[in-house]
Amino acid sequence: MSIQTITRQFHGGIHPPEHKHWSSTAPLRDADLPDEVILPLTQHAGRIAEPLVQVGDRVKTGQRIAACRQGTGACIHASISGEVIAIEPRPVPHASGLTLPAVVIRSDGLDTPGFEPPGFLPPGIDWRTATAETLLPLIRQAGLVGLGGATFPTAIKVEGAVHQGVRTLIINAAECEPYITADDLLIRHHSHELLEGISILQHLLQAEQLLLGIEDNKPEALESLKNALEHHPLKDQLQICILPTRYPSGGEKQLIQLLTGMEVPSGQLPMHVGVLCHNVGTLVALHDALVLGKPLIERIVTVTGQAVQQPGNYRVRLGTPISQLLQQAQVNPQTVDRLIIGGPMMGYTLDSDAYPITKGINCLLLPTASELPLPGIEQPCIRCSRCEEVCPAQLLPQQLYFYAAHQSWDKAEEQQLFDCIECGACAWVCPSEIPLVQYYRHAKDKLLQKRAETRKADLAKLRFEARKARFEREEQEKEAKRRARAEAAARMAAAKRESERDSEKEAELANPPASPPVTTQATLTAAQPATATPAAAAGVDEKQLKQLKIAKAAATVAVKKAEKTLSNLHTSPDATPEQISEQEQRLSAAQEQLAKAEAKLAAVEESSPCP
């Protein structure tokens, strides 16, 4: 077992009054089973989950009732057994008072479990021999998120670390925020489960270095951890690092710097430097999921403040109304000044207790007016630089405030606004009582909104350009077809002219011009008016017969040409139905002309005298 005291420091930090003894000295209690739970479909960072149940369905404790089918998200499970009575928008715990979809379940009082071992786990599954490809979907199905407050889906975070090849695992047990002792009590009562969760994550990552950071103000938790580690396989691998109490040593980047000496570059994640951080609560939930088959349906919540008569830590079912938990903790409504979600540094005030407990809530702080006075009237910045001295992210808070107050969002971003962890140290020391964190949050929201609008505009531009390109392509295709039809018509006209010329040539060859008759006195005498002789009548019939034969030959040639042209059209890929129909009409007309010529010729031949 390796235990060492860390002397390394990070920039800035403060020492606010801890006030942890009010809740840390009380035993861990189980909150009463609620009569009704409200389970928001957004208890995680990412997309809203889609309901898998309908109003009127009966559900069991631990049954999956919502899931994210794509993108970032986490599954939601029923925290009690009973009937789904509503799927509708409900207020959720948020600084802006959002209203989002939620599943409402009325308890049947039985709390019928749906996760008895192996729960949702496949039969015979053992995390010690299973691969990451097998375990990651199970973690996703269990609905695990970061229980330190960020609520980022655990499966996605671990999957990214596996692909990145992370080899250093840091377990965050610092819990540096004043008043909050949920992780402290969790370690005291569930040290073995915590070590098992660490072992599971080590197996997934194949981690070579295991570091657990814990502040020196948690002696009971540290002792419990030592006892559990004595007979655990991690005894020679897990290094316990005792940190000096300094806020915010539990910040992810600050903890990495304290334990490893590495600094995570601006705009990057810990996995980019080969490190993965996880909260102790998340690791205990990981053990419950992969060992017991129990999804995330409850968490430990600290209820504290001078207005609370029974302060302490409560194991609470998710979706439990805050009002019910406050009633069990015996909150004095006459002395309570306000209800804060989280601690005094990073928490936010709710306007009522009608909200449900969600995965990200680790503390309900109910101070009196004298215990935690409201900030005074905001005064102008005096440029004292005290905020810069305590900023753990090494930013320039006064410059960020100036840009945020004057709505210069882009300039604030240039000053690494998104590196701000919103720890509140700057506001804590500000002599002008400027709510600096609120300014930073507002600026971040505006920048994120601007980014979303830019993405939306870019997508609209892409859609417009794609539509324009499609129209141009269709117009080009239509123009190509028009050109093809014109060329085909031109070829048809040329073929028709050639056919007509051939017909004329064949007609000329079949009927050469006759020699002019020689005029003699005899012929003149014969031409005198008189009754036609039989010989003259025979000459007329012979001439008519020749003309009819020529006409028949020309008609025959026209029919053959029309048939040939029609055959070519049938085999041509460029021919249109209109051209084929027109040629068929021409062929029909030629055939009619031939039939007439043959009929006339036959009539003349029958009436002509035999020679």
Side-chain angles (χ1 to χ4, degrees):
M1 183 187 304
S2 174
I3 301 176
Q4 71 175 78
T5 301
I6 302 297
T7 58
R8 192 183 294 114
Q9 295 184 353
F10 57 87
H11 180 272
I14 57 176
H15 294 87
E18 295 183 12
H19 298 299
K20 289 178 178 287
H21 61 281
W22 292 338
S23 58
S24 64
T25 55
L28 179 63
R29 304 182 180 97
D30 288 328
D32 296 336
L33 194 69
D35 296 329
E36 180 180 288
V37 294
I38 303 169
L39 297 168
L41 300 181
T42 50
Q43 300 185 50
H44 49 261
R47 295 175 176 267
I48 298 177
E50 300 177 17
L52 302 178
V53 293
Q54 298 179 349
V55 175
D57 288 354
R58 308 284 305 181
V59 296
K60 293 182 178 181
T61 304
Q63 178 179 333
R64 189 167 56 151
I65 60 172
C68 289
R69 304 184 188 278
Q70 59 181 0
T72 304
C75 297
I76 309 293
H77 300 78
S79 57
I80 58 174
S81 63
E83 180 184 359
V84 177
I85 62 173
I87 301 176
E88 60 188 15
R90 290 291 186 98
V92 297
H94 194 272
S96 60
L98 289 176
T99 298
L100 294 172
V103 176
V104 183
I105 303 174
R106 180 187 295 128
S107 175
D108 57 9
L110 302 176
D111 195 26
T112 306
F115 55 85
E116 291 294 340
F120 62 85
L121 299 176
I125 189 72
D126 186 355
W127 64 264
R128 295 174 181 82
T129 57
T131 62
E133 289 75 14
T134 301
L135 296 179
L136 286 174
L138 298 176
I139 297 174
R140 186 178 295 108
Q141 186 177 346
L144 301 189
V145 299
L147 297 182
T151 66
F152 192 82
T154 303
I156 297 176
K157 187 174 182 179
V158 174
E159 184 177 16
V162 171
H163 292 163
Q164 194 75 18
V166 168
R167 291 294 178 265
T168 298
L169 173 60
I170 291 180
I171 298 92
N172 189 347
E175 198 170 42
C176 58
E177 178 95 6
Y179 286 92
I180 305 176
T181 59
D183 290 347
D184 185 358
L185 269 288
L186 177 72
I187 297 173
R188 296 188 205 177
H189 292 81
H190 299 284
S191 294
H192 176 75
E193 290 84 352
L194 171 60
L195 294 177
E196 286 295 288
I198 296 173
S199 299
I200 293 172
L201 203 51
Q202 180 195 30
H203 169 72
L204 284 168
L205 298 176
Q206 296 298 304
E208 300 170 356
Q209 188 177 25
L210 304 177
L211 305 174
L212 186 147
I214 184 170
E215 284 190 341
D216 55 12
N217 59 357
K218 302 175 180 60
E220 294 88 350
L222 183 59
E223 188 64 27
S224 177
L225 196 59
K226 290 179 182 178
N227 294 335
L229 198 56
E230 274 297 329
H231 306 288
H232 197 276
L234 291 179
K235 179 180 180 180
D236 298 327
Q237 302 177 57
L238 180 62
Q239 184 175 351
I240 299 177
C241 304
I242 303 176
L243 311 173
T245 301
R246 186 178 183 85
Y247 180 84
S249 61
E252 190 174 53
K253 292 184 178 181
Q254 288 68 43
L255 186 61
I256 292 173
Q257 184 177 355
L258 286 173
L259 299 187
T260 68
M262 296 187 297
E263 292 190 24
V264 180
S266 174
Q268 294 191 15
L269 299 173
M271 68 175 63
H272 294 143
V273 295
V275 177
L276 178 66
C277 287
H278 263 297
N279 174 266
V280 292
T282 308
L283 293 173
V284 171
L286 181 63
H287 159 270
D288 293 345
L290 296 185
V291 176
L292 305 179
K294 175 183 176 182
L296 183 56
I297 59 170
E298 62 184 11
R299 68 157 300 145
I300 295 177
V301 179
T302 301
V303 184
T304 185
Q306 290 185 0
V308 183
Q309 299 180 22
Q310 292 289 334
N313 288 273
Y314 295 80
R315 187 179 286 106
V316 189
R317 297 289 177 92
L318 299 178
T320 299
I322 291 177
S323 58
Q324 178 176 327
L325 183 58
L326 298 186
Q327 183 178 1
Q328 183 175 353
Q330 300 180 18
V331 174
N332 187 344
Q334 304 300 324
T335 60
V336 64
D337 181 56
R338 60 190 187 275
L339 169 60
I340 300 175
I341 295 293
M345 304 301 298
M346 299 184 68
Y348 55 89
T349 302
L350 292 182
D351 57 355
S352 76
D353 58 4
Y355 298 93
I357 296 293
T358 61
K359 296 179 182 180
I361 295 179
N362 61 352
C363 178
L364 299 178
L365 175 58
L366 298 106
T368 61
S370 60
E371 175 189 3
L372 201 62
L374 289 171
I377 299 175
E378 179 180 338
Q379 301 294 327
C381 174
I382 61 175
R383 299 281 181 173
C384 65
S385 76
R386 292 179 63 183
C387 55
E388 184 276 331
E389 293 173 358
V390 300
C391 178
Q394 303 184 52
L395 303 177
L396 297 175
Q398 71 274 20
Q399 284 298 111
L400 291 175
Y401 159 69
F402 177 80
Y403 291 136
H406 291 81
Q407 301 183 7
S408 299
W409 317 125
D410 293 334
K411 290 184 178 180
E413 186 175 15
E414 291 174 2
Q415 291 289 330
Q416 285 78 46
L417 172 65
F418 284 97
D419 283 346
C420 171
I421 62 174
E422 303 178 14
C423 65
C426 54
W428 183 268
V429 300
C430 180
S432 298
E433 299 192 82
I434 301 173
L436 296 170
V437 176
Q438 280 69 21
Y439 279 100
Y440 304 153
R441 286 174 178 169
H442 181 64
K444 288 180 180 180
D445 290 341
K446 288 295 184 181
L447 284 168
L448 292 174
Q449 182 180 356
K450 181 180 177 181
R451 290 179 183 178
E453 292 174 351
T454 300
R455 286 195 298 269
K456 185 177 179 180
D458 290 342
L459 289 174
K461 182 180 179 181
L462 290 175
R463 289 196 301 269
F464 171 77
E465 291 176 350
R467 180 173 180 268
K468 183 179 178 181
R470 187 180 78 250
F471 285 165
E472 291 177 352
R473 185 172 62 254
E474 291 175 353
E475 187 61 31
Q476 291 173 358
E477 292 174 354
K478 291 178 181 178
E479 183 62 27
K481 290 180 179 179
R482 284 195 291 267
R483 286 198 300 268
R485 287 196 297 268
E487 292 173 359
R491 289 194 296 270
M492 288 290 299
K496 180 180 178 182
R497 289 193 296 271
E498 183 180 358
S499 175
E500 291 174 352
R501 286 196 296 269
D502 293 343
S503 299
E504 292 175 358
K505 290 179 180 179
E506 291 180 3
E508 291 175 357
L509 292 175
N511 185 23
S515 300
V518 180
T519 305
T520 61
Q521 186 64 31
T523 58
L524 289 174
T525 303
Q528 295 295 326
T531 304
T533 62
V540 174
D541 292 340
E542 183 178 353
K543 182 178 179 181
Q544 184 182 8
L545 189 62
K546 287 182 179 180
Q547 291 176 348
L548 291 174
K549 288 181 177 180
I550 292 171
K552 176 186 175 184
T556 303
V557 171
V559 170
K560 292 182 178 179
K561 290 294 183 180
E563 290 176 343
K564 181 178 180 182
T565 302
L566 182 61
S567 176
N568 291 337
L569 285 176
H570 280 303
T571 58
S572 173
D574 297 327
T576 63
E578 292 81 2
Q579 293 172 341
I580 294 174
S581 177
E582 183 180 356
Q583 188 59 30
E584 288 176 345
Q585 293 175 3
R586 290 175 182 170
L587 175 59
S588 178
Q591 291 172 342
E592 291 178 2
Q593 194 67 25
L594 176 59
K596 290 179 181 179
E598 290 176 343
K600 289 182 180 180
L601 179 59
V604 172
E605 288 178 342
E606 290 177 0
S607 62
S608 297
C610 295

